[in-house]
Amino acid sequence: WLTSLQQHSPHIRNIGIAPGNRVSYVYPMAGNEAALGLYYPDQKEQWPAVKMIIANRKPMLAGPVRLQQSGTGLIYRIPVFLNNETYWGMVSTVLNFDTIYNAMHTRAKQLGIKVAIKDRDQNGKILFGYNDIIANNELNLSIPGRNWQMVSSQKNTDAPQACE
């Protein structure tokens, strides 16, 4: 099932299972070895989001975040609770941010537009895309636990000014 899922979803970097908040299983292992054994409470940048997911008992997308195994990812986390309502751990799907961003940027370039993704929960902070964008079009994105918006405008330069 995991092999099929990954083959049909080119942006999936890995799927991890973290009982007790420690990543104990990663598929595929190749290229993701550094994530094995990762303990969420020790991850200063990621732990606040993980705690919120556990407290809210709802899946959420985190990122873009720097990955332990290198690169940047978007992480969709699902908290797992047992029948007696005890928190068991987390199941995560890590998406390759770079391939998603490149696909978005390539398509926008073909269309002759500039695009950016804003985090409306952080006063419209641009997560990725052009920093200097003045929106002609806005689209609210339905992302679990996040309030993102895609904005676009006519392009007046070919040089991207990507955010970190």
Side-chain angles (χ1 to χ4, degrees):
W1 175 76
L2 291 176
T3 301
S4 176
L5 179 64
Q6 188 180 35
Q7 288 173 348
H8 289 93
S9 302
H11 301 294
I12 293 179
R13 177 157 180 178
N14 70 60
I15 297 169
I17 300 173
N21 291 322
R22 183 174 305 278
V23 178
S24 301
Y25 181 81
V26 178
Y27 180 86
M29 182 63 76
N32 295 295
E33 297 88 350
L36 198 61
L38 183 135
Y39 185 55
Y40 290 132
D42 291 342
Q43 304 302 309
K44 293 176 185 165
E45 289 183 19
Q46 295 185 36
W47 180 237
V50 172
K51 279 194 333 188
M52 186 179 351
I53 292 166
I54 296 166
N56 292 338
R57 296 175 162 246
K58 293 182 180 178
M60 184 176 186
L61 183 74
V65 298
R66 294 251 175 245
L67 300 174
Q68 189 77 22
Q69 63 270 41
S70 80
T72 306
L74 299 171
I75 307 172
Y76 182 71
R77 295 188 177 111
I78 303 170
V80 178
F81 290 85
L82 303 177
N83 286 339
N84 64 2
E85 299 300 314
T86 302
Y87 172 71
W88 177 84
M90 195 74 58
V91 175
S92 302
T93 302
V94 179
L95 303 172
N96 186 330
F97 172 78
D98 297 327
T99 64
I100 293 170
Y101 177 77
N102 288 338
M104 182 182 84
H105 178 68
T106 298
R107 184 64 180 139
K109 190 173 182 179
Q110 291 170 348
L111 295 171
I113 60 174
K114 294 166 64 171
V115 295
I117 303 292
K118 291 182 171 185
D119 188 335
R120 295 180 66 199
D121 293 328
Q122 293 184 23
N123 296 320
K125 175 186 173 188
I126 294 180
L127 298 173
F128 50 96
Y130 286 86
N131 287 319
D132 63 347
I133 195 164
I134 298 173
N136 296 109
N137 298 295
E138 299 175 349
L139 175 67
N140 292 324
L141 303 175
S142 178
I143 301 197
R146 302 297 294 270
N147 192 9
W148 285 4
Q149 184 177 57
M150 179 183 284
V151 294
S152 67
S153 69
Q154 291 298 82
K155 192 173 188 178
N156 58 11
T157 179
D158 285 338
Q161 300 169 1
C163 291
E164 289 293 320

